[in-house]
Every structure is written in structure tokens, then in C-alpha cells.
Amino acid sequence: NELPEGASLASSNALFPSHVPDNMLNEHPYLSIIRSKLRNSRIPEKTDWVEALMEQWRFVRKDVSHPQKFFLLDEELALGHLKKLSEQLDTICSQHESLFRATAIYLLREIVDNMQLTTANKDIQDVLTEDQIKLLMRLHEHKGLCRIAAPKGEYECLWVPGEGMDMQWGWERTPAECERSGKPAGNRTERLHWIFVVKDMVEAGIFEAQDDGYFEFTELGWRVANNLAKNK
């Protein structure tokens, strides 16, 4: 709908050649990169999408006898439209929860593995979610410990240090407990969200699971949290 008059694209399939098998990607190296990253649960970068879309645009323009009018545009004009499309594709991928979480873990590992904290602070803050930072900052104020445990009549949830006593971040009662007490069930989405926040950072090497249900900062976790606190 945003294309100029005389540059129609009736079918988007021409830009997304899903029919090309993996063993025939010699002429589609950037498409190969996109497929590889998605299969490894990583979000392609905007530049990956731009390169792959332009690669396909040039391929259609060169090899298709009667291409759609979009492929007959001046290349710079087509590039401008494909950059906008790339931004939308990047946004959609970032909103895909499992893909986003897997990518965030990968980037965290990469930063932690190559950590020179004097230069990596901005990269860390760009990768960490607001809730990950919130948890890191809370634990930095205390002993670097949190735990996942189930109170009586409830499911497992995250417990963090508070003023004088531990606090639940997310909670959910069992159906039996709800019936017995007449109290609300709580919020499963919120409860699981905070558990996943912890487990994602375990995978990234920031927390280490203990046998008693506690999760403790690794040395790298302390360094990440400490540098976040310094740059608060």
C-alpha cells in the first residue's frame, strides 16, 4: 500500500523465495544467512534483511522475464522501500517471545564471554531486558541470591530479598488452595515470566543454580550487576 503509483507488488512471494531449496542457495547467500539464523533461534539483524531482500530484488529483476512493476523501480528507490520492510521484519521477530529470548541469551553469552566491562556496559544494557536489569539491581543490593520455591498451596515462583523478608515476584495458587481459601488464583503469566528471567540468565552465565533452589550470581554476574549499578 505504501508503494508509489506504477510500482505495484501484487504478490509478496517474489520477495520471499521459500520455494528455493537449501541445496540451491549459491545465488542466494544472504537468504542462506537468514535461514541459518532463524533455524538457530536467532533474530536476523536489519542489515541481514536488507541484503537478503535486495539480493532477491536484483535476482528477479535480472532473471524473470516479466517481473512485477516493483522490480522495475530505480534501485535506490526500491532500496528505500525494502529498508522500511526490513525494519518491520525486525520488529516482528523481536515480538516473537521464544525467538527474542533465545537471541537475548545468545547475545548475553557473547558479551559475557568477551567481556571487557569498561567497553561492554552499553552493549549489556542494550541486550538486557528491563526486568532482567531490575532483578540484577535488586540482588546487587543484597547477597546476589534469589530462589525459586513453592509456598504451601501455590506453584513455584521467584523469591527475592526485600526489607526484612523475601518477597514473591509473581505468584499462583493451586486450584485446591483457591477452593479451600476462596482467594484468587494469581497470575500464571507473571509467575512464569519471572522464573524465565532467572533461567535465561542462568543460560547466559550470570546466575548459577544451587541444589537448594537458590540461584547465585557467578563472578561474571557480580561484575555485570556491579557495572550496571555504577552506571545507574
Side-chain angles (χ1 to χ4, degrees):
N1 291 335
E2 295 181 11
L3 292 176
E5 186 176 354
S8 62
L9 184 64
S11 171
S12 61
N13 290 338
L15 277 175
F16 298 93
S18 57
H19 62 281
V20 178
D22 288 348
N23 61 0
M24 296 182 65
L25 289 177
N26 291 338
E27 295 186 32
H28 300 80
Y30 290 105
L31 174 59
S32 180
I33 291 171
I34 293 285
R35 287 186 182 178
S36 176
K37 287 189 175 183
L38 289 174
R39 283 177 181 148
N40 286 287
S41 297
R42 286 176 53 197
I43 297 175
E45 297 179 18
K46 290 179 188 178
T47 53
D48 294 329
W49 287 113
V50 172
E51 294 289 0
L53 291 170
M54 281 305 300
E55 173 182 81
Q56 179 64 8
W57 185 88
R58 294 185 184 112
F59 179 83
V60 171
R61 184 184 179 96
K62 174 176 174 288
D63 286 22
V64 174
S65 301
H66 302 288
Q68 298 179 74
K69 292 181 180 179
F70 176 67
F71 298 94
L72 301 177
L73 287 175
D74 176 79
E75 183 164 327
E76 282 300 311
L77 186 56
L79 176 60
H81 289 291
L82 293 179
K83 281 183 176 178
K84 290 182 181 178
L85 177 58
S86 297
E87 290 175 0
Q88 293 173 321
L89 289 166
D90 180 68
T91 298
I92 291 297
C93 287
S94 297
Q95 291 172 345
H96 190 283
E97 184 177 357
S98 60
L99 188 58
F100 173 79
R101 288 179 57 226
T103 301
I105 291 168
Y106 170 83
L107 293 173
L108 277 170
R109 283 176 178 164
E110 192 173 65
I111 290 170
V112 168
D113 288 345
N114 300 285
M115 189 168 287
Q116 299 294 327
L117 281 175
T118 54
T119 59
N121 290 328
K122 183 177 182 301
D123 292 333
I124 292 170
Q125 288 179 309
D126 286 345
V127 171
L128 291 170
T129 66
E130 288 184 11
D131 285 340
Q132 287 171 335
I133 292 174
K134 179 180 178 180
L135 180 59
L136 289 171
M137 297 296 286
R138 169 60 66 90
L139 300 186
H140 180 267
E141 295 173 4
H142 295 274
K143 298 179 179 179
L145 285 170
C146 61
R147 64 189 171 102
I148 292 176
K152 184 178 179 180
E154 297 184 22
Y155 296 105
E156 283 189 334
C157 66
L158 174 63
W159 294 81
V160 299
E163 295 301 326
M165 61 183 295
D166 286 354
M167 303 169 56
Q168 291 174 265
W169 282 9
W171 56 274
E172 181 188 6
R173 294 187 176 93
T174 64
E177 177 64 17
C178 291
E179 184 176 353
R180 185 195 68 77
S181 66
K183 294 179 179 179
N187 189 316
R188 175 170 298 178
T189 300
E190 182 76 1
R191 177 180 69 84
L192 291 177
H193 167 74
W194 284 110
I195 290 175
F196 291 144
V197 166
V198 173
K199 292 188 174 181
D200 285 350
M201 288 198 285
V202 170
E203 291 191 50
I206 290 175
F207 283 123
E208 185 174 49
Q210 308 297 309
D211 294 335
D212 55 4
Y214 278 87
F215 292 82
E216 184 175 9
F217 276 159
T218 61
E219 179 183 343
L220 288 171
W222 274 113
R223 292 171 65 189
V224 170
N226 198 51
N227 277 270
L228 286 171
K230 285 194 299 185
N231 289 277
K232 187 176 177 181

